[in-house]
Amino acid sequence: MAQRLTVNKTYKLFIGGKFPRSESGHTAMVMSKNGRPLAAYCKASRKDLRDAVALASGGQAKWSSQSPYLRGQILYRAAEMLEGGAAQVASALQWHGMSPLPARRAVEAAVDTLVHFAGWTDKFQQLSSSVNPVASPHFVFTVPEPCGVVAQIHADRDFEGLVSGMARLLCGGNACISIVGERLAIAASILGEIWHTSDLPAGTMAILTGEVRELAMAAATHRAVDGILGQSLDPEVEKQIQEAAAETVKRLSFQSGGRTDPLEDVLAFQDLKTTWHPVGW
């Protein structure tokens, strides 16, 4: 019997609810320790980022208009799908250099993180809203609203941190454009398949794998990107993002690992809207 030829998968980008190849046509191969090709992933270009941003605004409008309860159900659905595909994701993490036990635990922690933020979707408003005392006949209240389209830039091998960043942005009603470096490219691409089956409005989530610095600069200068979440970035890259984003006055948040407060994480990309309503007029 003839030896069968192995068909290695090329993992695509996730943009607008679809799985296109990169506009540039560039791909990169992930190799095993003994030099055997395992899988390939697409390397996104600046044009791919612009396409993702163009579709994100419409997706974010639909997503933010959903009830907090429904957003929580969809995040929980993503946790269910990740739980079901845990073996595949853990295998991808091993391709990226993790040993089997830490890879499995990283996936389990990511599932728990999704469930955790699913529970926050209808609670953070209660903890951050307020009725404000004023010296005039007005009823004045403040409520949080999503800031819009946020680019998540993740250059580390921390899979739980990647999922946590996505979940905190989606929890608050934002659209997320996730830019992921080569250390997690395959695992991040599989997440695109998971989000695709989780009933998110098309465009709400985009996953771009490739050169982090190039895509980060494109996101920082794009006027339709409202915020940037940087995770475990090189200090020089952080500085470049801050300088590039200053012209368009984006909301910036940088994390270097470790546990953070989930309420503060969600509120970092919320605008506080204050409404004055006359009383007794």
Side-chain angles (χ1 to χ4, degrees):
M1 185 176 181
Q3 185 177 2
R4 183 177 177 275
L5 178 66
T6 301
V7 178
N8 293 314
K9 182 173 180 177
T10 297
Y11 287 87
K12 314 301 190 299
L13 308 177
F14 182 52
I15 301 173
K18 299 180 180 180
F19 297 93
R21 292 179 178 268
S22 172
E23 171 271 339
S24 67
H26 293 168
T27 61
M29 184 69 70
V30 175
M31 309 294 289
S32 67
K33 293 182 179 180
N34 60 9
R36 180 172 60 88
L38 297 172
Y41 64 90
C42 293
K43 301 183 72 173
S45 68
R46 290 172 175 259
K47 174 64 165 56
D48 295 316
L49 175 70
R50 292 195 296 270
D51 291 343
V53 174
L55 294 168
S57 296
Q60 192 272 329
K62 294 179 181 178
W63 177 239
S64 61
S65 67
Q66 305 281 10
S67 70
Y69 172 80
L70 181 56
R71 291 204 299 268
Q73 290 293 299
I74 291 175
L75 287 178
Y76 191 86
R77 167 70 173 168
E80 292 176 336
M81 299 304 298
L82 182 55
E83 182 82 51
Q88 181 188 13
V89 179
S91 177
L93 291 176
Q94 292 177 56
W95 292 352
H96 289 302
M98 280 192 184
S99 54
L101 182 58
R104 188 174 73 249
R105 288 179 175 172
V107 177
E108 291 172 352
V111 172
D112 294 345
T113 295
L114 283 171
V115 173
H116 183 78
F117 278 101
W120 273 105
T121 56
D122 59 357
K123 298 177 180 64
F124 76 89
Q125 301 91 337
Q126 302 171 46
L127 297 174
S128 56
S129 301
S130 64
V131 177
N132 310 319
V134 293
S136 63
H138 291 87
F139 177 59
V140 183
F141 54 94
T142 300
V143 295
E145 290 186 346
C147 70
V149 177
V150 181
Q152 175 196 20
I153 304 171
H154 190 90
D156 199 11
R157 193 175 277 125
D158 178 11
F159 182 72
E160 181 190 359
L162 173 64
V163 174
S164 176
M166 294 175 173
R168 63 183 274 192
L169 296 176
L170 294 174
C171 172
N174 294 291
C176 175
I177 299 175
S178 186
I179 298 169
V180 187
E182 61 180 6
R183 295 181 178 182
L184 277 181
I186 301 296
S189 299
I190 296 173
L191 284 176
E193 299 174 359
I194 289 170
W195 288 117
H196 183 61
T197 57
S198 300
D199 296 329
L200 277 176
T204 306
M205 167 62 70
I207 298 178
L208 307 177
T209 52
E211 298 293 336
V212 169
R213 187 187 297 264
E214 176 186 358
L215 295 174
M217 292 302 104
T221 55
H222 200 301
R223 293 185 179 277
V225 174
D226 302 297
I228 292 179
L229 169 61
Q231 296 177 293
S232 302
L233 300 180
D234 183 273
E236 181 182 348
V237 175
E238 284 190 14
K239 182 179 179 181
Q240 291 175 350
I241 291 173
Q242 290 172 339
E243 293 174 349
E247 183 177 349
T248 52
V249 196
K250 300 186 190 307
R251 181 164 300 186
L252 304 178
S253 177
F254 296 103
Q255 295 180 339
S256 57
R259 292 188 174 275
T260 56
D261 181 87
L263 178 59
E264 292 182 1
D265 287 344
V266 175
L267 293 180
F269 290 96
Q270 296 288 303
D271 294 328
L272 295 178
K273 179 180 178 180
T274 299
T275 301
W276 292 63
H277 185 76
V279 177
W281 287 12

